[in-house]
Amino acid sequence: MNIVAPSPVRLDLGERSYDIHVGTGLLARAGSLIRPLLKMPTLFVAADETVAELHWPALAASLDEAGIAHHLYRVPSGEGSKSFARLESLLSAVLDTRPERSTALLAFGGGVVGDLTGFAASILLRGVPFIQIPTTLLSQVDSSVGGKTGINMAQGKNLVGSFHQPRLVLADIDLLSTLPRRELASGYAEVVKYGLIDDPDFFAWLEKHGPALLDGDAEARAYAVRHSCQAKARTVAGDERESGTRALLNLGHTFGHALEAETGFSSTLLHGEAVGLGSLMAFDLSARLGLCPATDLDRLRAHLESVGMPTRLPAIAGGWQAERTMAHFFHDKKVDQGRLTFILARGIGKSFISRDVPQDVLRAVVTDWCAS
Ligand code: GLY
């Protein structure tokens, strides 16, 4: 069954506007969709090594059919690849092929490959075009759209990077079927986020269809990915550089990054799992501040449980320590003149940006979560 959306989602950014295709069978059409965007029929593909193992033959065949010559660079799987060393290695591999300003890079993988390749494209020859073929749920609904690129530093995640919009995004739902269930559920946290921010109907839809989506229902997946991309495209079109409302997309992320930092960005807690827990903590904080009904916190917890996402912090060696966890908040990119930015909620679908969260209530939330 081919589920191809009637038309691509358009991210409207003037001359930097681009299409986001969501559907099945897109890998086979990749060559013909990409070809009109290329000045020279050559692509440099940076692919996650696991994705390349599974899906490179299909993508290569599609590029061959469209007459696009290609070079392949395999990126080791995992967050460790968002490093200066990997960036240098990738740039050096591209430069060995004697690229020109119109040579395009293609990111074929999840968020790590997308962020790394997008950053490389933004600085190679002072900027070359790039295309995203995201292969994880998280990258299809969030990181491949919107032009945030970057790598990690010892001091924290994504601290070095750029805004560099892709020319095209192809979100092929078929690619999700080879993802481990835990990885899929982790990415699902970013889908739920769109409901929590400003779309209570979508949250209700997810309550009904989320379990089937995770169990493999292709139509539910296509609907949710497309709906999420529409929400992301709207938000980015309105605030590309995150001077305002784009920050809403960080719901659950300030808490989440702190949890990830405490678990050493390891498989103890995947990024999406941290975002799911962070969203719960944001709703808990909102409820304690009297902003949000506690029943909405319960509803969110019940939904995350229904799809098998963690709703408690995982056990870690030495146990969770509130003060240490809170210290990570101040390394966040979103710190503004020393003030922390949190996304709070007046209910499901009613999120807002807050820069004056009372520290004592924040501390109480973190302390309770660390103790539970
Ligand atoms: N992932 C959040 C953003 O793109 O702004």
Side-chain angles (χ1 to χ4, degrees):
M1 178 180 46
N2 259 25
I3 303 170
V4 180
S7 59
V9 175
R10 185 83 176 153
L11 203 165
D12 213 344
L13 286 169
E15 60 184 18
R16 289 174 297 109
S17 298
Y18 54 94
D19 286 338
I20 305 151
H21 292 256
V22 180
T24 58
L26 287 172
L27 211 51
R29 295 174 55 215
S32 59
L33 289 166
I34 292 169
R35 181 65 189 92
L37 302 175
L38 302 179
K39 281 201 182 134
M40 289 193 313
T42 305
L43 262 183
F44 190 98
V45 181
D48 175 282
E49 62 185 354
T50 311
V51 171
E53 197 64 41
L54 293 166
H55 303 296
W56 172 242
L59 178 56
S62 172
L63 298 177
D64 288 340
E65 209 174 298
I68 301 172
H70 43 78
H71 304 276
L72 175 66
Y73 176 92
R74 287 182 168 80
V75 180
S77 302
E79 195 69 27
S81 282
K82 279 178 61 170
S83 65
F84 259 122
R86 184 54 54 192
L87 179 70
E88 184 181 10
S89 161
L90 170 58
L91 288 169
S92 173
V94 187
L95 287 168
D96 282 345
T97 68
R98 300 185 178 279
E100 297 178 14
R101 268 272 178 72
S102 55
T103 301
L105 267 50
L106 188 152
F108 189 35
V112 167
V113 169
D115 287 4
L116 172 75
T117 310
F119 187 36
S122 76
I123 56 177
L124 179 73
L125 307 180
R126 298 209 173 88
V128 301
F130 92 111
I131 290 162
Q132 292 262 22
I133 303 188
T135 59
T136 61
L137 183 57
L138 187 140
S139 57
Q140 291 193 351
V141 300
D142 187 18
S143 61
S144 68
V145 174
K148 280 190 182 174
T149 78
I151 56 172
N152 303 329
M153 298 292 290
Q155 289 84 349
K157 271 183 82 166
N158 298 325
L159 292 181
V160 172
S162 62
F163 284 98
H164 188 55
Q165 298 293 343
R167 298 285 168 97
L168 177 72
V169 180
L170 302 179
D172 189 334
I173 301 303
D174 291 334
L175 300 175
L176 303 180
S177 59
T178 49
L179 276 188
R181 163 92 191 194
R182 186 178 171 206
E183 186 71 45
L184 200 65
S186 163
Y188 183 75
E190 302 281 8
V191 178
V192 173
K193 182 182 80 176
Y194 295 109
L196 297 177
I197 290 173
D198 64 356
D199 196 343
D201 292 346
F202 185 49
F203 186 83
W205 185 91
L206 291 170
E207 286 180 309
K208 204 161 163 202
H209 300 283
L213 184 163
L214 285 167
D215 287 342
D217 182 329
E219 261 181 78
R221 286 179 178 185
Y223 176 80
V225 173
R226 183 175 162 82
H227 197 88
S228 301
C229 287
Q230 282 170 328
K232 176 101 192 223
R234 256 195 322 271
T235 307
V236 173
D239 177 24
E240 184 184 6
R241 297 273 168 146
E242 199 172 302
S243 44
T245 48
R246 183 166 179 168
L248 289 168
L249 297 174
N250 299 324
L251 173 64
H253 283 65
T254 302
F255 285 115
H257 277 170
L259 301 180
E260 280 185 280
E262 276 302 279
T263 50
F265 298 100
S266 68
S267 58
T268 305
L269 192 63
L270 301 180
H271 174 68
E273 293 172 338
V275 169
L277 288 162
S279 302
L280 280 169
M281 292 170 84
F283 268 71
D284 187 2
L285 176 58
S286 304
R288 291 190 203 207
L289 290 169
L291 295 164
C292 160
T295 46
D296 279 6
L297 168 63
D298 297 340
R299 203 174 145 198
L300 174 57
R301 186 184 290 112
H303 180 52
L304 297 181
E305 269 166 7
S306 79
V307 294
M309 292 194 65
T311 54
R312 283 170 183 277
L313 305 196
I316 55 169
W320 288 88
Q321 289 175 31
E323 287 306 322
R324 225 176 50 192
T325 304
M326 285 185 68
H328 297 292
F329 294 159
F330 293 94
H331 289 143
D332 203 280
K333 281 191 301 311
K334 277 90 66 185
V335 174
D336 178 16
Q337 297 169 64
R339 288 180 310 168
L340 297 174
T341 304
F342 281 89
I343 310 305
L344 301 182
R346 296 196 174 83
I348 286 171
K350 294 182 197 157
S351 297
F352 65 98
I353 302 163
S354 168
R355 295 204 168 79
D356 52 10
V357 171
Q359 296 284 314
D360 54 334
V361 187
L362 181 60
R363 180 165 283 104
V365 169
V366 176
T367 303
D368 289 352
W369 276 82
C370 286
S372 67

